[in-house]
Amino acid sequence: MGYGLGIILIVVGLVLIYALEVEIPGVGQETLGWILVAAGAVLVVITAVQLNARRRSATSATTTHGDGSQTRQERRSDLDGPAL
């Protein structure tokens, strides 16, 4: 999906509302146009939220040395992008 599909839905909806005069049996043309505009806007917002979400991961490893001492390493990272 993504921004492209959302923008296409908005454009098609606006064309149905303002540019065309087509008779669709059982469905109001303007109503269908507003539904498409709303669906496109929701899709654009959902895409923006997903792409701006941050993932954080942390790993730790403990190493025990021959003399009995231990070393602990922690690694943290912030990854940009949608969670997979």
Side-chain angles (χ1 to χ4, degrees):
M1 290 193 278
Y3 289 114
L5 181 59
I7 291 172
I8 288 172
L9 288 175
I10 292 172
V11 169
V12 170
L14 290 174
V15 166
L16 281 174
I17 294 169
Y18 295 113
L20 294 178
E21 291 187 26
V22 179
E23 291 295 323
I24 303 172
V27 179
Q29 174 186 345
E30 188 172 319
T31 303
L32 180 61
W34 283 115
I35 290 171
L36 290 175
V37 169
V42 167
L43 188 58
V44 167
V45 169
I46 289 173
T47 301
V49 168
Q50 285 182 341
L51 291 178
N52 290 323
R54 299 191 82 162
R55 291 187 303 160
R56 296 179 186 206
S57 64
T59 58
S60 62
T62 304
T63 305
T64 303
H65 303 285
D67 61 355
S69 63
Q70 292 183 339
T71 303
R72 184 174 183 190
Q73 291 180 331
E74 289 188 17
R75 183 178 203 181
R76 295 181 185 182
S77 63
D78 291 335
L79 303 173
D80 292 329
L84 299 176

